[in-house]
Amino acid sequence: MVKLKSFYMALTFVFLLLPCSWGCFDARAQFKENAFSQQYNDDPAKQKDSTDVLFSFKEYFGGLKHKNELKIGNMFAGSAVFIGGCQIYNKQYWKLPIVYGAIGGSLGAGIYLNSTGNHNAARWCFVGAGVAWWGSLMDGVINYGPKKYPHAGTATLYSLLVPGLGQIYNKEYWKVPVYLGLMGFGIHYYLDCNKNFERFRAIYKEATEPGYSGQVSADQALYYRNTYRRYRDYALLATAAVYLLQIIDANVFSYMHNFEVNDDLSMKLAPTVIVPQMQLASNSVFDNAALGLRVGLTF
């Protein structure tokens, strides 16, 4: 009887496995091709090992001589110090007189006006020089090639230069009002707290002088001064955190923009016989065996 029972169990086992070989219990989920092998760092420059230096003067000036390709980050970082490098690398030499003229002229005018005592006009000249410097970097990022979309470095620098522009580049327009709204609220709260901080700081100075007869005591003014200063600092930190977050967001989602899985990731369902571990040493394998379902995942 034991041998007959074992024979029937084995026969049942064979018949249950036949459909699996015919694909009757084969469930497959199709994904796009090159899922786990494609590269998402699409910089045209040579890919460097992570242990390499972040910036190399030799590489940067070699790129300006067009002896090698520059990553957009290296081009940006070098041109932030060596003004006009973006335009040289992009072979737009005609822009150099405009860049140098705008920055140099604004700085010269600011220094002259400041020496004559016209500090307000000098301040605006210095702001103009800063805007011209920012514009030279923005121009370099916009004209950086090749125009392969999406480019993570381009998206990152867009958000660095103009908050929300990286999200527009990634075509995630709904994020722009979110980030700008949070940053706008942070700036508004910072200005409001700073206004009250200055107010109570002035009151505190007056309250500590002899003959003060105001309604706010020195202790109260000191408390409100410190409170508004703390909230002002919190608002500044929160605004900076949102600014940093939108830069990271632009970088990450640009990398993942074309994330496609297309390899044959499959799941197979097949019947199986479950045998206790110690049962294999006995003469009758199928005495305490049980039928089950096996799930196999193929990556």
Side-chain angles (χ1 to χ4, degrees):
M1 293 296 295
V2 174
K3 292 183 178 180
L4 185 60
K5 182 178 179 180
S6 300
F7 173 77
Y8 283 125
M9 291 290 294
L11 188 62
T12 304
F13 178 76
V14 172
F15 276 102
L16 286 173
L17 287 181
L18 285 177
C20 182
S21 63
W22 296 334
C24 295
F25 291 89
D26 189 12
R28 293 180 179 269
Q30 295 296 330
F31 291 82
K32 294 185 177 180
E33 192 175 357
N34 300 327
F36 307 103
S37 61
Q38 71 185 65
Q39 299 293 325
Y40 296 101
N41 187 359
D42 296 326
D43 253 330
K46 298 177 181 178
Q47 301 298 323
K48 288 186 172 292
D49 189 80
S50 59
T51 58
D52 288 350
V53 294
L54 294 177
F55 181 81
S56 169
F57 286 101
K58 181 179 180 180
E59 180 183 356
Y60 176 72
F61 287 108
L64 296 188
K65 295 178 181 179
H66 302 101
K67 293 182 178 180
N68 55 269
E69 294 182 68
L70 282 179
K71 293 182 179 180
I72 189 171
N74 289 344
M75 182 195 71
F76 180 88
S79 299
V81 178
F82 301 100
I83 301 172
C86 291
Q87 287 69 36
I88 295 175
Y89 182 74
N90 293 331
K91 298 182 179 180
Q92 296 177 328
Y93 308 104
W94 62 272
K95 294 182 180 179
L96 292 176
I98 300 175
V99 172
Y100 294 143
I103 296 177
S106 297
L107 285 176
I111 294 173
Y112 172 76
L113 291 173
N114 192 59
S115 63
T116 59
N118 195 346
H119 302 298
N120 289 331
R123 187 180 301 112
W124 283 109
C125 289
F126 292 141
V127 171
V131 171
W133 172 78
W134 171 88
S136 69
L137 295 176
M138 190 69 182
D139 173 78
V141 174
I142 292 174
N143 291 280
Y144 178 82
K147 295 293 184 180
K148 187 170 182 178
Y149 178 84
H151 192 280
T154 302
T156 304
L157 293 177
Y158 274 161
S159 285
L160 179 67
L161 293 169
V162 181
L165 189 58
Q167 284 69 34
I168 296 176
Y169 173 78
N170 290 336
K171 298 181 180 179
E172 296 176 322
Y173 307 106
W174 65 272
K175 293 182 179 180
V176 177
V178 175
Y179 285 121
L180 294 185
L182 290 174
M183 292 183 65
F185 176 78
I187 294 173
H188 170 75
Y189 194 68
Y190 170 84
L191 295 175
D192 185 65
C193 290
N194 187 65
K195 179 180 178 180
N196 285 286
F197 164 74
E198 296 291 346
R199 173 191 172 196
F200 283 103
R201 184 174 68 168
I203 294 176
Y204 176 73
K205 289 182 179 180
E206 293 180 6
T208 54
E209 295 178 356
Y212 174 74
S213 59
Q215 297 180 353
V216 181
S217 65
D219 292 337
Q220 290 176 328
L222 180 63
Y223 170 78
Y224 285 115
R225 186 202 68 176
N226 294 337
T227 300
Y228 280 113
R229 178 173 59 188
R230 182 168 62 253
Y231 288 156
R232 180 198 64 179
D233 295 343
Y234 288 161
L236 182 61
L237 290 175
T239 305
V242 174
Y243 172 75
L244 181 62
L245 180 62
Q246 60 92 28
I247 296 176
I248 297 174
D249 173 270
N251 178 274
V252 171
F253 281 90
S254 179
Y255 269 121
M256 302 300 293
H257 192 277
N258 285 337
F259 183 79
E260 296 179 349
V261 281
N262 198 20
D263 285 344
D264 188 12
L265 177 64
S266 61
M267 179 180 68
K268 293 184 178 181
L269 304 177
T272 186
V273 176
I274 303 174
V275 181
Q277 184 177 3
M278 299 301 298
Q279 188 70 21
L280 297 176
S282 66
N283 293 327
S284 180
V285 177
F286 296 102
D287 281 347
N288 297 318
L291 296 178
L293 189 65
R294 180 178 59 188
V295 179
L297 295 177
T298 303
F299 295 93

